[in-house]
Amino acid sequence: MNVLVLNCGSSSIKYQLLEMGENPEVRAKGIVERIGLKMGCLAHKNDRNQKYETETEVPNHTVGIKLVLEALTNKEHGVIESLDEIKAVGHRVAHGGEFFTQSVLITDEVIAKIKDCCDLAPLHNPAHLLGMYAMKDVLPTVPQTAVFDTSFHQSMPASSYMYPLPYSLYEQYKIRRYGFHGTSHKFVAEKACKILGWDIKDKKIITCHLGNGASITAIKYGDSVDTSMGFTPVEGVMMGTRTGDLDLGALLFIMEKEKLSISQANSFINKECGTNGFSEISSDMRDLQDEAKKGNERAILTLDMYAHRVKKYIGSYAAVMNGVDLIVMTGGIGENSDVIRKMVLTDMNYLGVEFDAVKNTDLRGTDATISKSDSKVKIMTITTDEELVIAMDTVKLVFG
Ligand code: ADP
């Protein structure tokens, strides 16, 4: 059975068509970009490794979706003969506010609630809605689902999610920690437990999703009890271009000195800081590692800061849960950077973490244990797959 997974942004549509079953497979994937601009484009790849690219006018999301469906059914580079073969569509949705604790079938009521959350994710939720409307336009009878980045974290206790602000601001604007990357944190924790033969309901797990965006989550007995991203995805560990945790006073000082407007300050903390801004080299961890190897002092300091900040979160989440049984590393950096894994996970013996430097260097994107066999706390690298989770949730919701 084929499930189409969509991640709609304001000017782009990322898609994957997955054949679901015992061993799900990606049949095709691609991206439509520059929607609404003068000339849009589509890049598509199928499971026969054929690539197709085209430039054409894509004035809106409906035209973008039609382009995706045309690519999927095309005689040359397509993977299905007719649109009837798409049995369901799953949408990634950035923000479900306090409404959604799990994935849902899209109904008018769900749409209204996603709309209600637009204030909380002004760049993302309106774009997801455009994708849902467009899909309904083009394939009106195919069931659609919404899978939220935030829903897994709705289990956090108020002591984790509240900010020390006047309570009225929570009541009025719902300002609180929401957390993101929930799909990934849940998926890698469950996958690691499956591999280890553990019941997640008995375990305390810290999941580190380290990609361009990065967040760390404390999962106690299957529930997210704290996570590093907050009201927005800016809070938490240092990221490719986002600051992560920062003294609010420093931001106000910078805004005053540099005469930044609110939107300039927003762009500054999201796009001009993090490893890229600090190193003045790159946001890409591979570039930083290469430069550090050559002895570039700024690159070395950037890596040190990055690892230090991740380490601090691991320590604090072990404190929050009164211990930890498993630490999972995922995301582009967590899965691939043996350098960062080593920097973060060595010298944690106080927690019962015995890092295995040899196992650490021998893997690439595979699911593996990188702690010593007698380590009280297990460490694993697990490949995340957010599209697969969206497709699995969609199958569960639509077909039971
Ligand atoms: P996104 O948040 O955009 O999905 P990813 O999860 O793909 O990001 O992670 C991107 C990051 O992973 C980049 O910083 C990249 O440098 C890093 N990365 C990918 N491969 C490697 C590698 N082999 N070694 C170190 N870092 C890597």
Side-chain angles (χ1 to χ4, degrees):
M1 169 204 319
N2 291 301
V3 173
L4 179 62
V5 173
L6 294 179
N7 182 354
C8 297
S10 53
S11 67
S12 71
I13 301 171
K14 284 193 199 131
Y15 65 93
Q16 275 195 17
L17 187 77
L18 291 103
E19 168 133 30
M20 300 304 286
E22 209 146 291
N23 294 309
E25 273 176 30
V26 178
R27 306 283 319 275
K29 61 176 160 184
I31 184 166
V32 180
E33 285 178 291
R34 303 172 62 81
I35 298 172
L37 300 182
K38 241 192 196 148
M39 201 47 112
C41 54
L42 167 123
H44 170 91
K45 193 174 154 189
N46 67 20
D47 54 0
R48 303 185 296 280
N49 233 347
Q50 286 172 304
K51 287 184 185 162
Y52 169 71
E53 286 180 15
T54 182
E55 277 199 12
T56 177
E57 269 181 53
V58 190
N60 55 48
H61 283 69
T62 303
V63 174
I65 297 268
K66 282 186 180 155
L67 209 57
V68 171
L69 298 178
E70 200 287 315
L72 292 172
T73 48
N74 185 279
K75 289 223 158 31
E76 302 275 305
H77 49 261
V79 288
I80 50 177
E81 277 178 18
S82 98
L83 294 178
D84 297 342
E85 292 177 49
I86 300 176
K87 299 300 180 198
V89 178
H91 293 263
R92 177 231 167 192
V93 180
H95 220 304
E98 292 186 325
F99 293 119
F100 300 103
T101 56
Q102 53 196 14
S103 307
V104 288
L105 268 171
I106 295 175
T107 60
D108 289 347
E109 196 190 333
V110 166
I111 296 250
K113 285 178 175 161
I114 295 173
K115 240 189 226 166
D116 263 6
C117 298
C118 280
D119 240 10
L120 299 172
L123 296 179
H124 294 97
N125 274 27
H128 303 325
L129 286 165
L130 289 176
M132 291 170 200
Y133 298 142
M135 203 67 230
K136 197 152 174 46
D137 241 17
V138 183
L139 293 180
T141 57
V142 175
Q144 298 190 59
T145 67
V147 179
F148 302 90
D149 282 10
T150 50
S151 59
F152 178 56
H153 301 300
Q154 279 297 301
S155 51
M156 285 188 290
S159 52
S160 295
Y161 71 68
M162 283 299 193
Y163 287 123
L165 291 167
Y167 193 80
S168 56
L169 291 176
Y170 168 67
E171 292 177 309
Q172 201 175 348
Y173 303 118
K174 291 276 169 261
I175 298 179
R176 49 160 285 182
R177 174 183 313 286
Y178 289 97
F180 299 88
H181 291 142
T183 328
S184 173
H185 289 292
K186 178 169 183 276
F187 177 72
V188 296
E190 286 174 352
K191 195 171 172 194
C193 284
K194 202 166 167 202
I195 292 170
L196 293 167
W198 286 1
D199 184 350
I200 197 168
K201 294 278 174 212
D202 295 334
K203 300 295 176 188
K204 298 168 184 173
I205 304 170
I206 297 172
T207 46
C208 306
H209 178 114
L210 308 178
N212 272 320
S215 66
I216 303 191
T217 296
I219 302 173
K220 191 173 184 183
Y221 309 144
D223 290 333
S224 168
V225 292
D226 206 349
T227 191
S228 61
M229 280 180 170
F231 179 66
T232 73
V234 179
E235 197 181 349
V237 288
M238 184 171 177
M239 303 177 220
T241 59
R242 293 178 213 148
T243 55
D245 296 335
L246 175 77
D247 180 354
L248 300 175
L251 178 61
L252 297 177
F253 185 88
I254 295 163
M255 286 177 74
E256 190 173 29
K257 291 285 182 199
E258 299 280 316
K259 303 200 180 2
L260 300 185
S261 67
I262 291 169
S263 79
Q264 285 169 326
N266 191 33
S267 165
F268 173 71
I269 57 175
N270 275 288
K271 299 189 179 151
E272 293 173 42
C273 297
T275 52
N276 191 41
F278 182 77
S279 68
E280 296 175 310
I281 296 168
S282 170
S283 64
D284 194 301
M285 193 51 81
R286 286 166 290 205
D287 298 339
L288 293 168
Q289 288 177 186
D290 288 346
E291 281 302 308
K293 222 189 245 170
K294 288 186 220 154
N296 180 319
E297 284 186 13
R298 186 79 66 79
I300 294 170
L301 179 53
T302 309
L303 297 187
D304 284 343
M305 281 168 69
Y306 187 92
H308 175 81
R309 286 168 172 249
V310 173
K311 207 184 243 293
K312 270 208 303 199
Y313 266 101
I314 294 176
S316 65
Y317 285 170
V320 162
M321 295 193 288
N322 188 21
V324 55
D325 300 302
L326 167 68
I327 299 170
V328 178
M329 304 297 277
T330 192
I333 297 169
E335 290 165 30
N336 298 301
S337 174
D338 54 60
V339 174
I340 290 294
R341 286 197 303 256
K342 184 171 181 197
M343 292 171 77
V344 170
L345 295 160
T346 42
D347 296 329
M348 277 202 183
N349 332 55
Y350 81 101
L351 267 181
V353 176
E354 298 292 342
F355 178 74
D356 190 322
V358 176
K359 288 183 196 162
N360 179 49
T361 48
D362 268 355
L363 45 108
R364 246 151 221 255
T366 48
D367 302 331
T369 302
I370 54 168
S371 46
K372 291 193 174 148
S373 42
D374 60 350
S375 180
K376 190 163 92 41
V377 179
K378 294 262 176 290
I379 315 169
M380 293 193 77
T381 66
I382 298 283
T383 312
T384 194
D385 191 340
E386 287 162 284
E387 285 77 15
L388 177 61
V389 183
I390 295 172
M392 289 191 314
D393 277 12
T394 301
V395 170
K396 234 186 277 165
L397 284 165
V398 176
F399 303 99

